[in-house]
Amino acid sequence: MTTHQHKIGSGFDHRTTAAEVLHGTDLTGRLALVTGGYSGLGAETTRALAAAGADVIVPARRPGEARAALLDTAEVAELDLGDLGSVRRFAERFLASGRGLDILIGNAGIMAYPETRVGPGWEAHFAVNHLGHHALVNLLWPALRPGGRVVTVSSAGHQLSGIRWDDVHFERGYDRWLAYAQAKTANALFAVHLDALGRDSGVRAFSVHPGAIFTPLLRHLTRAEMVERGWVDEDGHLADPAFKTPEQGAATQVWAATSPQLAGLGGVYCEDCDVAEPTESSAMVDGVREHAVDPDEAARLWALSARLTGADPFRA
């Protein structure tokens, strides 16, 4: 398979921060939307974009909490990615405002969640991390301006599972890590197919692995589990030197959303502020597995997601 999955030599690295990526960049007059943009990586992404002059909208399941966290940094609106009705209502309100959108970052997500069903019985990781964003981006498609970018936050966890076509919603036995992994593969495949559909309109899409970061995303893991993995010590202090700070973790999604170095590229999976190299590993190392950037898998997932959500503005 021909691939653009090769480093481009961005000059940034594992420790680059979002502020460093945007140093000297003026985003005045540009409108960005960041799901989950009030906690962890999302909050750092919101702050960095706003500091560079962008207007930022943060859709949030808990708007009051979001406003308290962001103060006057961003506009906050109500949105629950696990509820298609909520997604549609948000999109309708936004489109009615007549505003154009330049950057959309699908940052919100869940990890290692106990078995949970949402909507018509959908597995929660697949529903919240992928289907909710699929619906949101497609419903907001009329507002995306030429030159705009869509960034989905994937993970090295994608290496653990492709799309489980015979049991997408884990109806025959649940594994929280495989559920998370499948959803992160879906995030990457979504960017592949959206880019193929949107590039002629001037909109490009990317997926990113932000790195390992100690954020509220880990809330469903016990300390004992994190000690066993070597992430923290017995007192709960960070023990793995590979972990990034939230400011460093936000860097790759900000880079993918704004960098002129990516002009002419799209549909690629990025990490450490560069395009990732292909890998055959299933051990959550650097790089991207073929199953997460395969255009045929991406088209198949798009068709399934469009059928489940009813959202596909590209359908003839």
Side-chain angles (χ1 to χ4, degrees):
M1 182 177 71
T2 301
T3 180
H4 293 291
Q5 286 294 157
H6 297 294
K7 292 183 181 296
I8 61 173
S10 69
F12 299 120
D13 60 25
H14 183 80
R15 296 301 177 191
T16 299
T17 66
E20 289 168 341
V21 165
L22 290 175
H23 179 71
T25 299
D26 184 3
L27 298 178
T28 301
R30 303 187 72 185
L31 181 61
L33 183 151
V34 183
T35 66
Y38 63 100
S39 176
L41 301 187
E44 295 301 331
T45 299
T46 296
R47 294 185 185 108
L49 292 171
D55 294 317
V56 186
I57 301 172
V58 174
R61 190 161 60 90
R62 297 179 292 273
E65 183 177 323
R67 291 188 183 96
L70 296 172
L71 300 177
D72 295 326
T73 304
E75 173 187 339
V76 175
E78 186 172 0
L79 170 67
D80 182 350
L81 287 165
D83 178 348
L84 281 185
S86 175
V87 177
R88 290 187 180 279
R89 288 189 293 275
F90 171 84
E92 288 168 359
R93 290 193 299 270
F94 183 86
L95 293 177
S97 74
R99 291 182 289 180
L101 193 59
D102 301 288
I103 295 168
L104 195 160
I105 300 179
N107 166 85
I110 58 175
M111 183 180 80
Y113 218 59
E115 184 172 4
T116 304
R117 305 284 157 179
V118 302
W122 296 340
E123 190 280 315
H125 289 91
F126 192 70
V128 173
N129 296 2
H130 169 61
L131 291 175
H133 282 114
H134 174 96
L136 179 66
V137 173
N138 279 285
L139 291 170
L140 291 178
W141 178 255
L144 280 159
R145 296 177 173 130
R149 291 188 185 178
V150 176
V151 179
T152 57
V153 177
S154 182
S155 165
H158 81 271
Q159 295 173 11
L160 301 179
S161 179
I163 303 300
R164 296 158 48 97
W165 297 111
D166 62 338
D167 190 19
V168 169
H169 293 295
F170 288 81
E171 296 170 332
R172 298 197 298 271
Y174 182 70
D175 183 303
R176 60 180 180 163
W177 287 111
L178 290 181
Y180 174 70
Q182 174 184 242
K184 295 293 100 178
T185 289
N187 290 146
L189 290 173
F190 173 78
V192 171
H193 200 64
L194 178 64
D195 189 75
L197 293 171
R199 67 183 62 162
D200 288 344
S201 299
V203 176
R204 305 309 299 257
F206 304 87
S207 64
V208 304
H209 167 45
I213 307 100
F214 205 81
T215 73
L217 188 67
L218 305 179
R219 66 173 65 89
H220 295 291
L221 299 182
T222 65
R223 180 180 295 181
E225 288 176 303
M226 290 189 279
V227 169
E228 182 181 357
R229 291 170 178 269
W231 295 350
V232 301
D233 61 24
E234 295 290 346
D235 296 320
H237 300 129
L238 189 62
D240 188 340
F243 268 60
K244 298 182 180 183
T245 66
E247 294 85 354
Q248 293 164 343
T252 302
Q253 56 209 62
V254 168
W255 179 77
T258 64
S259 178
Q261 294 175 309
L262 287 167
L265 283 175
V268 292
Y269 173 100
C270 304
E271 63 187 3
D272 293 338
C273 300
D274 208 330
V275 177
E277 293 285 344
T279 182
E280 295 182 2
S281 172
S282 59
M284 293 180 65
V285 297
D286 291 346
V288 60
R289 289 284 301 275
E290 183 176 341
H291 69 241
V293 290
D294 184 304
D296 293 332
E297 289 286 281
R300 185 179 180 185
L301 177 65
W302 188 278
L304 171 65
S305 305
R307 177 171 61 80
L308 292 175
T309 65
D312 186 0
F314 302 96
R315 185 180 300 161

